[in-house]
Amino acid sequence: MTKFLLALHVLAAIVAVGPVTVAASMFPPAVRRAHEEATGVGTVRLLHHICRAYAAVGIAVPVLGIATGAAMGVLGDAWLTASMALTAAAAGVLAAFVLPRQGELIEELAGQGSVERRGTVQLAMFTGVFNLLWATVTVLMIVRPGSTTGA
């Protein structure tokens, strides 16, 4: 059962977190292009929709991770506690800064046809923090300090 839960956890991370990471990273330059080329907001709205939808699906990642950790008997291990804290921080950055700022930029672009570069730079920074948190969690999941697997 542990291997099955672990496989589901890894698949959920790839399927859910991957698209959010990529779409969120593509969003600021897409806004700038839409502003400069006056191409409309279709692509930008699609990227925002991808981020929101896959963020909702992403809830499965920590749920399956906790179930896997419980099955493995490692819920109290420091590396897992750190990973859970970083995952919560990443979710917080996404929910509090990335998604709302994407929505604001879409409204600005649709309403005024323009956006301030400062807004896209700030969003890119928040997205970078989100991505860095997930990269750190990924490394912790692979390295697992104190692991008994020998890996």
Side-chain angles (χ1 to χ4, degrees):
M1 181 57 116
T2 301
K3 289 180 181 182
F4 178 70
L5 286 171
L6 182 58
L8 286 178
H9 171 62
V10 171
L11 285 171
I14 291 168
V15 169
V17 178
V20 173
T21 302
V22 172
S25 296
M26 292 174 63
F27 191 92
V31 169
R32 281 187 225 117
R33 258 191 321 278
H35 166 70
E36 292 166 5
E37 299 168 7
T39 57
V41 296
T43 300
V44 178
R45 285 189 179 163
L46 175 63
L47 291 171
H48 181 58
H49 177 72
I50 290 169
C51 290
R52 281 193 339 246
Y54 281 93
V57 173
I59 293 169
V61 176
V63 169
L64 289 166
I66 290 169
T68 303
M72 294 173 69
V74 295
L75 280 181
D77 287 7
W79 66 270
L80 189 56
T81 303
S83 293
M84 289 190 294
L86 292 171
T87 297
V93 168
L94 183 65
F97 299 105
V98 174
L99 294 176
R101 188 65 188 132
Q102 286 180 347
E104 292 168 8
L105 288 172
I106 289 170
E107 288 178 18
E108 286 178 33
L109 192 58
Q112 305 169 25
S114 65
V115 294
E116 290 186 32
R117 182 167 174 79
R118 180 176 170 264
T120 60
V121 169
Q122 184 184 53
L123 175 60
M125 178 195 65
F126 290 135
T127 301
V129 169
F130 170 77
N131 292 342
L132 182 61
L133 288 167
W134 272 115
T136 305
V137 169
T138 302
V139 169
L140 281 173
M141 291 289 125
I142 294 168
V143 173
R144 298 182 314 166
S147 170
T148 58
T149 63

